[in-house]
Coordinates of all heavy atoms in Angstrom, one line a residue:
M1 N 0.8 -1.2 0.0 CA 0.0 0.0 0.0 C 0.9 1.2 0.0 O 2.0 1.2 0.5 CB -0.9 0.0 1.2 CG -2.0 1.1 1.2 SD -3.1 1.0 2.5 CE -4.4 0.0 1.8
A2 N 0.4 2.3 -0.5 CA 1.1 3.5 -0.6 C 1.4 4.2 0.7 O 0.7 4.0 1.7 CB 0.3 4.5 -1.5
K3 N 2.5 5.0 0.7 CA 2.9 5.7 1.9 C 1.7 6.6 2.3 O 1.0 7.2 1.5 CB 4.1 6.6 1.5 CG 4.6 7.5 2.6 CD 5.8 8.3 2.1 CE 6.3 9.3 3.1 NZ 7.4 10.1 2.6
A4 N 1.5 6.7 3.6 CA 0.4 7.6 4.1 C 0.7 9.0 3.8 O 1.8 9.5 3.8 CB 0.3 7.4 5.6
Q5 N -0.4 9.7 3.5 CA -0.3 11.1 3.1 C -1.5 11.8 3.7 O -2.6 11.4 3.6 CB -0.3 11.3 1.6 CG -0.1 12.7 1.2 CD 0.0 12.8 -0.4 OE1 -1.0 12.5 -1.0 NE2 1.1 13.2 -0.9
I6 N -1.3 13.0 4.3 CA -2.3 13.9 4.8 C -2.3 15.2 4.1 O -1.2 15.9 4.2 CB -2.2 14.1 6.3 CG1 -2.2 12.7 7.0 CG2 -3.4 15.0 6.8 CD1 -1.9 12.8 8.5
K7 N -3.3 15.5 3.4 CA -3.3 16.8 2.6 C -4.2 17.8 3.3 O -5.4 17.5 3.6 CB -3.8 16.5 1.2 CG -3.8 17.7 0.2 CD -4.1 17.2 -1.2 CE -3.9 18.3 -2.2 NZ -4.2 17.9 -3.6
V8 N -3.7 19.0 3.5 CA -4.5 20.0 4.2 C -5.3 20.7 3.1 O -4.7 21.4 2.2 CB -3.6 21.0 4.9 CG1 -4.4 22.1 5.6 CG2 -2.7 20.3 5.9
M9 N -6.6 20.5 3.1 CA -7.4 21.1 2.0 C -7.8 22.5 2.3 O -8.0 22.9 3.5 CB -8.7 20.3 1.9 CG -8.5 18.8 1.7 SD -7.5 18.4 0.2 CE -8.8 18.8 -1.0
D10 N -7.8 23.4 1.3 CA -8.2 24.7 1.5 C -9.7 24.8 2.0 O -10.6 24.2 1.5 CB -8.1 25.5 0.2 CG -6.7 25.8 -0.2 OD1 -5.8 25.6 0.6 OD2 -6.5 26.3 -1.3
N11 N -9.9 25.5 3.1 CA -11.2 25.8 3.7 C -11.9 24.5 4.0 O -13.2 24.4 3.9 CB -12.1 26.6 2.7 CG -11.4 27.9 2.4 OD1 -10.8 28.6 3.2 ND2 -11.5 28.3 1.1
G12 N -11.2 23.4 4.3 CA -11.9 22.2 4.6 C -11.1 21.2 5.4 O -10.3 21.6 6.3
S13 N -11.2 20.0 5.1 CA -10.7 18.8 5.9 C -9.2 18.5 5.7 O -8.5 19.2 4.9 CB -11.5 17.6 5.5 OG -11.2 17.3 4.2
F14 N -8.8 17.5 6.4 CA -7.5 16.8 6.2 C -7.9 15.6 5.4 O -8.6 14.7 5.8 CB -6.9 16.4 7.5 CG -6.4 17.5 8.4 CD1 -7.0 17.7 9.6 CD2 -5.4 18.3 8.0 CE1 -6.5 18.7 10.5 CE2 -4.9 19.4 8.8 CZ -5.5 19.5 10.1
K15 N -7.4 15.5 4.2 CA -7.6 14.3 3.3 C -6.5 13.3 3.6 O -5.3 13.6 3.4 CB -7.7 14.8 1.9 CG -8.1 13.7 0.9 CD -8.2 14.3 -0.5 CE -8.6 13.2 -1.5 NZ -8.7 13.8 -2.9
V16 N -6.9 12.1 4.0 CA -5.9 11.1 4.4 C -6.0 9.9 3.4 O -7.0 9.4 3.0 CB -6.3 10.5 5.8 CG1 -5.3 9.5 6.2 CG2 -6.4 11.7 6.8
S17 N -4.8 9.5 2.9 CA -4.7 8.4 2.0 C -3.4 7.5 2.4 O -2.6 8.0 3.1 CB -4.6 8.8 0.6 OG -3.5 9.6 0.4
G18 N -3.4 6.3 1.9 CA -2.2 5.5 2.1 C -2.4 4.5 3.2 O -3.5 4.3 3.7
D19 N -1.4 3.9 3.6 CA -1.4 2.8 4.7 C -1.4 3.5 6.0 O -0.4 3.8 6.6 CB -0.1 2.0 4.5 CG -0.2 0.7 5.4 OD1 -1.3 0.4 5.9 OD2 0.8 0.1 5.6
V20 N -2.6 3.7 6.5 CA -2.8 4.4 7.8 C -4.0 3.7 8.6 O -4.9 3.2 8.0 CB -3.0 5.9 7.6 CG1 -4.3 6.1 6.9 CG2 -3.0 6.6 9.0
E21 N -3.9 3.7 9.9 CA -4.9 3.2 10.8 C -5.4 4.3 11.7 O -4.6 5.0 12.3 CB -4.4 2.0 11.6 CG -5.4 1.3 12.4 CD -4.8 0.1 13.1 OE1 -3.9 0.3 14.0 OE2 -5.2 -1.0 12.8
L22 N -6.7 4.6 11.7 CA -7.2 5.6 12.6 C -7.8 5.0 13.8 O -8.7 4.1 13.7 CB -8.3 6.4 11.8 CG -9.0 7.6 12.5 CD1 -8.0 8.7 12.9 CD2 -10.2 8.1 11.7
I23 N -7.3 5.4 15.0 CA -7.8 4.8 16.2 C -8.3 5.9 17.2 O -7.9 7.0 17.1 CB -6.7 3.9 16.9 CG1 -5.5 4.8 17.2 CG2 -6.3 2.8 16.0 CD1 -4.4 4.1 18.1
D24 N -9.1 5.5 18.1 CA -9.6 6.4 19.2 C -8.6 6.3 20.4 O -7.6 5.5 20.3 CB -11.0 6.2 19.5 CG -11.3 4.8 20.2 OD1 -10.3 4.2 20.7 OD2 -12.5 4.4 20.2
M25 N -8.9 7.0 21.4 CA -8.0 7.0 22.6 C -7.9 5.7 23.3 O -7.0 5.5 24.0 CB -8.5 8.1 23.6 CG -8.2 9.5 23.2 SD -6.4 9.8 23.0 CE -5.9 9.7 24.8
D26 N -8.9 4.8 23.1 CA -8.9 3.5 23.7 C -8.2 2.5 22.8 O -8.2 1.3 23.1 CB -10.3 3.0 24.0 CG -11.0 3.9 25.1 OD1 -10.2 4.4 26.0 OD2 -12.2 4.1 25.0
G27 N -7.8 2.9 21.6 CA -7.1 2.0 20.7 C -8.1 1.3 19.7 O -7.7 0.4 19.0
N28 N -9.4 1.6 19.8 CA -10.3 1.0 18.9 C -10.1 1.6 17.5 O -9.9 2.8 17.3 CB -11.8 1.3 19.3 CG -12.0 0.8 20.7 OD1 -11.8 -0.4 21.0 ND2 -12.5 1.6 21.6
V29 N -10.2 0.8 16.5 CA -10.0 1.2 15.1 C -11.3 1.6 14.4 O -12.3 0.9 14.4 CB -9.4 0.0 14.3 CG1 -9.1 0.4 12.9 CG2 -8.1 -0.5 15.0
F30 N -11.2 2.8 13.8 CA -12.3 3.3 13.0 C -12.3 2.6 11.7 O -11.2 2.3 11.1 CB -12.2 4.8 12.7 CG -12.4 5.7 13.9 CD1 -11.4 6.1 14.7 CD2 -13.7 6.1 14.2 CE1 -11.7 6.9 15.8 CE2 -14.0 6.9 15.3 CZ -12.9 7.3 16.1
E31 N -13.5 2.3 11.2 CA -13.6 1.7 9.8 C -13.4 2.9 8.9 O -14.1 3.9 8.9 CB -15.0 1.1 9.6 CG -15.1 0.4 8.3 CD -16.5 -0.4 8.2 OE1 -16.9 -0.9 9.3 OE2 -17.0 -0.4 7.1
T32 N -12.5 2.7 7.9 CA -12.2 3.8 7.0 C -12.1 3.3 5.6 O -11.9 2.1 5.4 CB -10.8 4.5 7.3 OG1 -9.8 3.5 7.3 CG2 -10.9 5.2 8.7
K33 N -12.2 4.2 4.6 CA -12.0 3.8 3.2 C -10.6 4.1 2.9 O -9.8 4.7 3.7 CB -12.9 4.7 2.4 CG -14.4 4.5 2.6 CD -15.3 5.5 1.8 CE -16.7 5.2 2.1 NZ -17.6 6.2 1.5
P34 N -10.1 3.7 1.7 CA -8.7 3.9 1.3 C -8.3 5.4 1.3 O -7.2 5.8 1.6 CB -8.6 3.4 -0.1 CG -9.7 2.3 -0.2 CD -10.8 2.9 0.7
V35 N -9.3 6.3 1.0 CA -9.1 7.7 1.1 C -10.3 8.3 2.0 O -11.4 8.0 1.7 CB -9.1 8.4 -0.2 CG1 -8.9 9.9 -0.1 CG2 -8.0 7.8 -1.1
F36 N -10.0 9.0 3.0 CA -11.0 9.6 3.8 C -10.6 11.0 4.3 O -9.4 11.3 4.2 CB -11.4 8.7 5.0 CG -10.2 8.4 6.0 CD1 -10.0 9.1 7.1 CD2 -9.3 7.4 5.7 CE1 -9.0 8.9 8.0 CE2 -8.3 7.1 6.5 CZ -8.1 7.8 7.7
S37 N -11.6 11.7 4.8 CA -11.3 13.1 5.2 C -11.6 13.3 6.7 O -12.7 12.8 7.2 CB -12.1 14.1 4.4 OG -11.7 14.1 3.1
L38 N -10.7 13.9 7.4 CA -10.9 14.2 8.8 C -11.3 15.7 9.0 O -10.8 16.6 8.4 CB -9.6 13.9 9.6 CG -9.2 12.5 9.7 CD1 -7.8 12.4 10.4 CD2 -10.2 11.6 10.4
C39 N -12.3 15.9 9.9 CA -12.7 17.3 10.1 C -11.6 18.1 10.8 O -11.0 17.6 11.7 CB -14.0 17.2 11.0 SG -14.6 18.9 11.5
R40 N -11.5 19.3 10.4 CA -10.6 20.2 11.1 C -11.3 21.5 11.4 O -10.7 22.5 11.9 CB -9.3 20.5 10.4 CG -9.3 21.3 9.1 CD -7.9 21.5 8.6 NE -8.0 22.2 7.3 CZ -7.5 23.4 7.1 NH1 -6.8 24.0 8.1 NH2 -7.6 24.0 6.0
C41 N -12.6 21.6 11.1 CA -13.4 22.8 11.4 C -14.1 22.7 12.7 O -14.6 23.7 13.2 CB -14.3 23.1 10.3 SG -15.8 22.1 10.2
G42 N -14.4 21.5 13.2 CA -15.1 21.3 14.5 C -16.6 21.3 14.3 O -17.3 21.2 15.3
Q43 N -17.1 21.3 13.1 CA -18.6 21.4 12.9 C -19.2 20.1 12.4 O -20.4 20.0 12.3 CB -18.9 22.5 11.9 CG -18.4 23.9 12.3 CD -18.6 24.9 11.3 OE1 -19.7 25.2 10.9 NE2 -17.5 25.5 10.8
S44 N -18.4 19.1 12.2 CA -19.0 17.8 11.7 C -19.9 17.1 12.7 O -19.6 17.2 13.9 CB -17.8 16.9 11.3 OG -18.3 15.6 10.9
Q45 N -20.9 16.5 12.2 CA -21.8 15.7 13.0 C -21.3 14.2 13.0 O -22.0 13.4 13.6 CB -23.2 15.8 12.5 CG -23.8 17.2 12.6 CD -23.8 17.8 14.0 OE1 -24.3 17.2 14.9 NE2 -23.2 18.9 14.2
K46 N -20.3 13.9 12.2 CA -19.7 12.6 12.1 C -18.3 12.5 12.5 O -17.5 11.9 11.9 CB -19.9 12.1 10.6 CG -21.3 12.0 10.1 CD -21.3 11.4 8.7 CE -22.7 11.1 8.3 NZ -22.7 10.7 6.9
M47 N -17.9 13.2 13.6 CA -16.5 13.2 14.0 C -16.0 11.8 14.2 O -16.7 10.9 14.6 CB -16.4 14.0 15.4 CG -16.6 15.4 15.2 SD -15.1 16.1 14.4 CE -15.3 17.8 14.7
P48 N -14.7 11.6 13.9 CA -13.7 12.6 13.4 C -13.7 12.9 12.0 O -12.9 13.6 11.5 CB -12.4 11.9 13.9 CG -12.7 10.4 13.6 CD -14.1 10.2 14.0
F49 N -14.7 12.3 11.2 CA -14.8 12.5 9.8 C -15.4 13.8 9.4 O -16.3 14.3 10.1 CB -15.5 11.3 9.2 CG -14.9 10.0 9.5 CD1 -15.4 9.2 10.5 CD2 -13.7 9.6 8.9 CE1 -14.8 8.0 10.8 CE2 -13.1 8.4 9.2 CZ -13.6 7.6 10.2
C50 N -15.0 14.3 8.2 CA -15.6 15.5 7.6 C -17.0 15.1 7.0 O -17.1 14.0 6.4 CB -14.7 16.0 6.5 SG -15.5 17.3 5.5
D51 N -18.0 15.8 7.3 CA -19.3 15.6 6.6 C -19.7 16.8 5.7 O -20.9 16.9 5.4 CB -20.4 15.3 7.7 CG -20.8 16.5 8.5 OD1 -20.1 17.6 8.4 OD2 -21.7 16.4 9.3
A52 N -18.8 17.6 5.4 CA -19.0 18.8 4.5 C -19.7 19.9 5.2 O -20.0 20.9 4.5 CB -19.7 18.4 3.2
S53 N -19.9 19.9 6.5 CA -20.5 21.0 7.2 C -19.6 22.3 7.2 O -20.1 23.3 7.4 CB -20.7 20.6 8.7 OG -21.6 19.6 8.8
H54 N -18.4 22.1 6.8 CA -17.5 23.2 6.8 C -17.8 24.2 5.6 O -17.4 25.4 5.6 CB -16.0 22.8 6.6 CG -15.8 22.0 5.3 ND1 -15.9 20.6 5.2 CD2 -15.5 22.4 4.0 CE1 -15.7 20.3 4.0 NE2 -15.5 21.3 3.2
K55 N -18.5 23.7 4.6 CA -18.7 24.5 3.4 C -19.3 25.8 3.6 O -20.4 25.9 4.2 CB -19.5 23.7 2.3 CG -18.7 22.5 1.8 CD -19.4 21.8 0.7 CE -18.5 20.7 0.1 NZ -19.2 19.9 -0.9
G56 N -18.6 26.9 3.3 CA -19.1 28.2 3.4 C -19.0 28.8 4.8 O -19.3 29.9 5.1
K57 N -18.5 27.9 5.8 CA -18.4 28.3 7.2 C -17.0 28.3 7.8 O -16.9 28.5 9.0 CB -19.4 27.5 8.0 CG -20.8 27.4 7.6 CD -21.6 26.5 8.5 CE -22.8 25.9 7.7 NZ -23.3 24.7 8.4
F58 N -16.1 27.9 7.0 CA -14.7 27.7 7.5 C -13.7 28.2 6.5 O -13.8 27.8 5.4 CB -14.5 26.2 7.8 CG -13.1 25.8 8.4 CD1 -12.7 26.3 9.6 CD2 -12.3 25.1 7.6 CE1 -11.5 25.9 10.1 CE2 -11.0 24.7 8.1 CZ -10.6 25.2 9.3
A59 N -12.8 29.0 7.0 CA -11.8 29.6 6.1 C -10.4 29.3 6.7 O -10.1 29.7 7.8 CB -12.0 31.1 5.9
S60 N -9.6 28.6 5.9 CA -8.2 28.3 6.3 C -7.5 27.8 5.1 O -7.8 26.7 4.6 CB -8.1 27.3 7.5 OG -6.8 27.0 7.7
C61 N -6.6 28.5 4.6 CA -5.7 28.1 3.5 C -4.3 28.2 3.9 O -3.7 29.3 4.1 CB -5.9 29.0 2.3 SG -7.6 29.0 1.6
V62 N -3.7 27.1 4.3 CA -2.3 27.1 4.8 C -1.4 26.4 3.8 O -1.8 25.5 3.1 CB -2.2 26.4 6.1 CG1 -3.0 27.2 7.2 CG2 -2.7 25.0 6.1
R63 N -0.2 26.8 3.8 CA 0.8 26.3 2.9 C 2.1 26.0 3.7 O 2.5 26.8 4.6 CB 1.2 27.2 1.8 CG 0.1 27.5 0.8 CD -0.3 26.3 0.0 NE -1.3 26.6 -1.0 CZ -2.6 26.5 -0.8 NH1 -3.1 26.2 0.4 NH2 -3.5 26.7 -1.8
A64 N 2.7 24.9 3.4 CA 4.0 24.6 4.0 C 5.1 25.5 3.4 O 4.9 25.9 2.3 CB 4.3 23.1 3.8
E65 N 6.1 25.8 4.2 CA 7.2 26.5 3.7 C 7.9 25.7 2.6 O 8.1 24.5 2.8 CB 8.2 26.9 4.7 CG 7.7 28.0 5.6 CD 8.8 28.4 6.6 OE1 10.0 28.5 6.2 OE2 8.5 28.8 7.7
K66 N 8.2 26.3 1.5 CA 8.9 25.6 0.4 C 10.3 25.2 0.9 O 11.0 26.1 1.4 CB 9.0 26.4 -0.8 CG 9.6 25.7 -2.0 CD 9.6 26.5 -3.2 CE 10.3 25.8 -4.4 NZ 10.5 26.6 -5.5
V67 N 10.7 24.0 0.7 CA 12.0 23.5 1.1 C 12.9 23.7 -0.2 O 12.5 23.1 -1.2 CB 12.0 22.1 1.6 CG1 13.4 21.6 1.9 CG2 11.1 21.9 2.8
L68 N 13.9 24.4 -0.1 CA 14.8 24.7 -1.3 C 15.7 23.5 -1.5 O 16.2 22.9 -0.6 CB 15.6 25.9 -1.1 CG 14.8 27.2 -0.9 CD1 15.8 28.4 -0.6 CD2 14.0 27.5 -2.1
D69 N 15.8 23.1 -2.8 CA 16.8 22.1 -3.1 C 18.2 22.7 -3.0 O 18.3 23.9 -3.0 CB 16.6 21.7 -4.6 CG 15.3 20.9 -4.8 OD1 14.9 20.2 -3.8 OD2 14.8 20.9 -5.9
E70 N 19.2 21.9 -3.0 CA 20.6 22.4 -2.9 C 20.9 23.3 -4.0 O 21.6 24.3 -3.9 CB 21.6 21.3 -2.8 CG 21.7 20.6 -1.5 CD 22.1 21.5 -0.3 OE1 23.0 22.3 -0.5 OE2 21.4 21.4 0.7
E71 N 20.4 23.0 -5.2 CA 20.6 23.8 -6.4 C 20.0 25.2 -6.3 O 20.4 26.2 -6.9 CB 20.1 23.1 -7.7 CG 20.9 21.8 -8.0 CD 20.3 21.1 -9.2 OE1 19.5 21.7 -9.9 OE2 20.7 20.0 -9.4
E72 N 18.9 25.3 -5.6 CA 18.2 26.6 -5.5 C 18.8 27.5 -4.4 O 18.5 28.7 -4.4 CB 16.7 26.4 -5.1 CG 15.9 25.6 -6.2 CD 14.5 25.3 -5.8 OE1 14.3 24.5 -4.9 OE2 13.6 26.0 -6.3
K73 N 19.6 27.0 -3.5 CA 20.2 27.8 -2.5 C 21.3 28.7 -3.0 O 21.9 28.5 -3.9 CB 20.7 26.9 -1.3 CG 19.6 26.2 -0.6 CD 20.1 25.4 0.5 CE 19.0 24.6 1.2 NZ 19.5 23.7 2.3
Ligands
FES101 S1 -13.7 20.0 7.9 FE1 -15.5 19.3 6.9 S2 -17.0 19.2 8.4 FE2 -15.2 20.0 9.4

């Protein structure tokens, strides 16, 4: 399976893909699809998953700092 990846979506969720297991504080495993979205707006009725409640109500566009290659330095 592919390496796990978490993508920070503009104005929305964390999109998770790859070989990852989502567990609660007691170690119980959530049933997930190969690609799923986690809520980061706090408004979902299906926590910890995104249910699209964020649409039009949540604004956050974040970018990682660009890491320069040795050639770009
Ligand atoms: S990020 Fe989608 S419902 Fe919270």
